[in-house]
Amino acid sequence: MGAIDYINQRLIKLFSFENKSKEVTELNTFYGQKWENMKTDNKTINSIFANVDNGDGIVQPQELNILTKIFNYIDNLHKKDEILDEKEINEFNKQLKNGTITLDKIKNQEEKAPQQSWSEGLDRNITSIQLAKSFLEREPQLKQELQQIGDEQGFTLTETDGENIWIEDTSIRRADGKIYIPYHSFPEDYKESPEVSMKSQRNNENNTGQGRVLDEGSAFDVQATATEKHYGTSYLEGGNVLNTKLKDGTPAAVVGESSIAYTLELMGLEQTPENIKKAKSIISEDLGLTKDQVTFIPQHDFHIDMSYRALHNGQFAIPDYEKGLEILKQFQKDINIQDTTISENASQEEIITHRKAYKLNKKINELEKLVKESKSIYTEAEDYLKEAGYETVKIPCFTTSSNDQTNFMNGIGGTSNKTGETFYITNKSEFPELQEVIEKYLKDAGIDKVYFVSTQAALDSRGGIDCLTQEQ
């Protein structure tokens, strides 16, 4: 990395630098590198870098958060929008010399949170839902469906550029309202997620698969203003973190244990009890919460947002696979086809029915296997949620794998400022008959309106409507 030239142009942008080759480099790519590589032709900036360094000469995420706070202060001298120029830097240098401000005072200043913390549950008021334009092009029907729901419930639909469709995974809101950015810019020789395993406290084997651990690290640096960003030390994906609130409104979060495993893996630490405790503390701090406000649950499948959902404050929806299995078996009786083979002379209607019976039989077998193999671990997760003070609400679950075409637990819940209703947006199912069944259970859980939207392309790729969106 060449020296950074600040003299001829406005070349400092908050959270990005432009080197002499005019290449923009994100600040988080400096993690683990040396502060001396960031030296510039400006003495004031070099002095700030030296002051921010904790003495080891290595760029740390906490130091970049302090640096950002200082840059915010300088930029606000002229009320500019995220660009520092030589005039601002010189004026700031005068303030330092005459004692108007000190770097220590800036470091210790409390910044106003850009947004209030909120749960991902029913007690939040959603005013906008954001999706990637690239996904809406793949599922054009979804855009129309969400616009119609938005007209009814009072939120707008906005589109973001970029190829990464998993907006939820790349943006985690901290308790102070800031957007959490993971510490790790992954090594180039990591082309896919490393093999990581982790046992729960009761010796259950966690499913530690994550979505884009190493192949899309840069995507985590979401397009947010400087005051909205917080660079963290742990490794988290949005789908494995569910923001909640306790019954009294206290901010909280539920996190899948695979996030502990990957945090330790990418920090080069073994999974000892001491290090696991350390990782939990780091994750809690990165979320802006105390360790008592974060509940870690073992996970039987992929991201926890595929199987769990925050409801009202202090409430948490958990998967009821046994009830789901019971409903599917009754559905199978209603179809009443013993032989799922199709005769040559079958009508089109008979072919459709037999295919449905075949898929249903396959799903029942898969769900029976899941219950047999995973009951211990999802029961353990339920126990931890109850111990943390959550009221658990069982919702029939039919999802047998992360790319299942029936997933009602992955959804968007909120309260409408327009109608005053609670509403929940979830995925359409390959078995439309199940939508009527699940709607009743969701309404019994305190949801006024339930909507089902077209997300097949996402479900095929291990995600649902909640994975695709960021809500405001």
Side-chain angles (χ1 to χ4, degrees):
M1 177 70 60
I4 307 167
D5 183 358
Y6 296 104
I7 302 301
N8 298 323
Q9 301 181 45
R10 292 178 170 183
L11 296 180
I12 301 178
K13 292 185 178 181
L14 293 183
F15 287 101
S16 66
F17 292 92
E18 191 174 299
N19 62 23
K20 287 184 176 180
S21 299
K22 307 306 180 197
E23 296 171 336
V24 176
T25 303
E26 293 295 324
L27 258 181
N28 66 328
T29 64
F30 284 97
Y31 287 146
Q33 297 187 40
K34 295 180 180 180
W35 276 106
E36 64 184 29
N37 292 336
M38 297 177 69
K39 283 186 177 179
T40 75
D41 295 331
N42 187 286
K43 292 182 180 180
T44 302
I45 296 296
N46 289 338
S47 175
I48 293 172
F49 286 171
N51 185 279
V52 168
D53 179 19
N54 64 11
D56 64 2
I58 304 299
V59 180
Q60 303 290 347
Q62 296 90 337
E63 295 168 342
L64 288 185
N65 287 324
I66 294 172
L67 180 61
T68 304
K69 186 179 286 190
I70 295 172
F71 280 1
N72 285 339
Y73 178 88
I74 299 174
D75 196 51
N76 284 333
L77 292 175
H78 291 278
K79 304 299 181 184
K80 298 278 182 62
D81 51 355
E82 303 186 8
I83 295 177
L84 305 182
D85 60 20
E86 189 176 4
K87 183 178 180 181
E88 289 173 307
I89 295 170
N90 289 339
E91 183 171 329
F92 176 67
N93 193 37
K94 290 180 182 178
Q95 289 191 359
L96 289 176
K97 288 182 176 180
N98 64 28
T100 302
I101 191 66
T102 67
L103 292 179
D104 285 339
K105 282 183 180 180
I106 298 174
K107 290 180 188 179
N108 295 326
Q109 281 180 350
E110 291 294 327
E111 291 185 331
K112 183 180 178 181
Q115 301 177 45
Q116 294 297 316
S117 63
W118 69 353
S119 166
E120 294 179 61
L122 301 173
D123 293 303
R124 61 176 172 173
N125 298 118
I126 297 176
T127 57
S128 70
I129 292 180
Q130 193 175 62
L131 286 95
K133 184 185 300 182
S134 57
F135 184 79
L136 290 174
E137 291 172 353
R138 293 163 60 184
E139 288 274 16
Q141 190 174 345
L142 176 61
K143 181 175 181 177
Q144 183 178 353
E145 291 168 345
L146 286 175
Q147 285 176 334
Q148 186 174 343
I149 298 169
D151 289 342
E152 184 177 335
Q153 298 296 352
F155 63 80
T156 58
L157 177 65
T158 59
E159 301 176 29
T160 63
D161 295 322
E163 292 302 312
N164 182 26
I165 66 172
W166 307 111
I167 297 178
E168 173 73 8
D169 285 347
T170 59
S171 55
I172 299 171
R173 190 176 299 177
R174 286 167 38 96
D176 61 6
K178 292 187 177 182
I179 300 298
Y180 158 86
I181 310 296
Y183 163 53
H184 301 279
S185 293
F186 305 111
E188 291 185 4
D189 57 343
Y190 279 4
K191 300 301 182 185
E192 57 185 31
S193 305
E195 292 293 330
V196 180
S197 61
M198 184 175 185
K199 297 272 190 185
S200 71
Q201 292 183 35
R202 298 180 188 173
N203 211 37
N204 287 306
E205 187 69 42
N206 272 281
N207 182 316
T208 51
Q210 291 282 276
R212 285 139 293 280
V213 176
L214 300 175
D215 60 344
E216 292 185 20
S218 62
F220 283 101
D221 208 349
V222 295
Q223 297 300 311
T225 64
T227 55
E228 292 176 323
K229 287 183 179 182
H230 175 91
Y231 284 95
T233 309
S234 60
Y235 179 81
L236 299 172
E237 290 189 2
N240 221 39
V241 177
L242 287 172
N243 291 318
T244 67
K245 285 189 179 180
L246 302 178
K247 193 172 183 179
D248 63 359
T250 301
V254 177
V255 179
E257 286 188 347
S258 67
S259 296
I260 301 171
Y262 275 101
T263 293
L264 293 175
E265 173 72 17
L266 296 172
M267 293 178 72
L269 298 175
E270 295 182 3
Q271 289 181 23
T272 65
E274 181 181 40
N275 285 341
I276 289 174
K277 184 177 180 181
K278 178 188 294 185
K280 287 182 175 181
S281 295
I282 291 171
I283 290 171
S284 300
E285 183 177 345
D286 278 345
L287 292 175
L289 300 168
T290 68
K291 61 181 180 179
D292 294 332
Q293 291 172 296
V294 181
T295 304
F296 293 89
I297 61 173
Q299 47 194 117
H300 59 282
D301 184 30
F302 194 42
H303 286 163
I304 62 172
D305 72 346
M306 300 298 284
S307 306
Y308 296 87
R309 185 60 37 195
L311 295 176
H312 287 291
N313 290 349
Q315 277 188 328
F316 215 75
I318 62 174
D320 189 344
Y321 295 105
E322 289 84 351
K323 190 64 180 179
L325 190 57
E326 179 185 322
I327 292 170
L328 289 181
K329 287 183 175 179
Q330 181 58 51
F331 184 23
Q332 186 181 49
K333 287 181 181 179
D334 295 340
I335 293 178
N336 194 26
I337 294 179
Q338 303 303 317
D339 184 5
T340 56
T341 59
I342 304 172
S343 68
E344 293 182 1
N345 299 322
S347 66
Q348 186 64 28
E349 184 178 348
E350 288 174 326
I351 291 173
I352 294 173
T353 303
H354 274 78
R355 284 177 177 170
K356 181 182 291 186
Y358 173 80
K359 288 195 299 182
L360 183 59
N361 185 63
K362 183 174 181 290
K363 176 172 280 294
I364 288 172
N365 292 336
E366 291 173 346
L367 197 53
E368 286 178 331
K369 181 181 179 183
L370 185 150
V371 170
K372 181 179 179 181
E373 295 179 351
S374 302
K375 185 172 184 177
S376 177
I377 191 168
Y378 63 72
T379 298
E380 182 180 3
E382 178 183 359
D383 289 344
Y384 296 161
L385 289 167
K386 288 179 177 177
E387 289 171 9
Y390 291 100
E391 173 196 349
T392 57
V393 179
K394 289 190 173 183
I395 302 294
C397 193
F398 313 96
T399 307
T400 59
S401 66
S402 56
N403 59 349
D404 199 311
Q405 287 295 300
T406 298
N407 187 311
F408 301 124
M409 298 298 280
N410 187 273
I412 305 167
T415 299
S416 169
N417 277 325
K418 182 177 180 179
T419 67
E421 295 176 326
T422 55
F423 64 91
Y424 184 70
I425 306 170
T426 189
N427 311 284
K428 288 182 178 178
S429 169
E430 61 182 333
F431 300 106
E433 298 88 347
L434 294 178
Q435 294 174 191
E436 296 180 16
V437 175
I438 204 69
E439 184 173 2
K440 179 182 183 302
Y441 280 91
L442 292 172
K443 286 186 174 181
D444 288 344
I447 300 172
D448 298 318
K449 293 294 292 289
V450 181
Y451 302 94
F452 300 92
V453 294
S454 304
T455 54
Q456 182 179 357
L459 293 172
D460 283 340
S461 302
R462 305 171 75 193
I465 184 63
D466 182 53
C467 306
L468 299 166
T469 60
Q470 185 182 80
E471 299 81 50
Q472 301 291 342

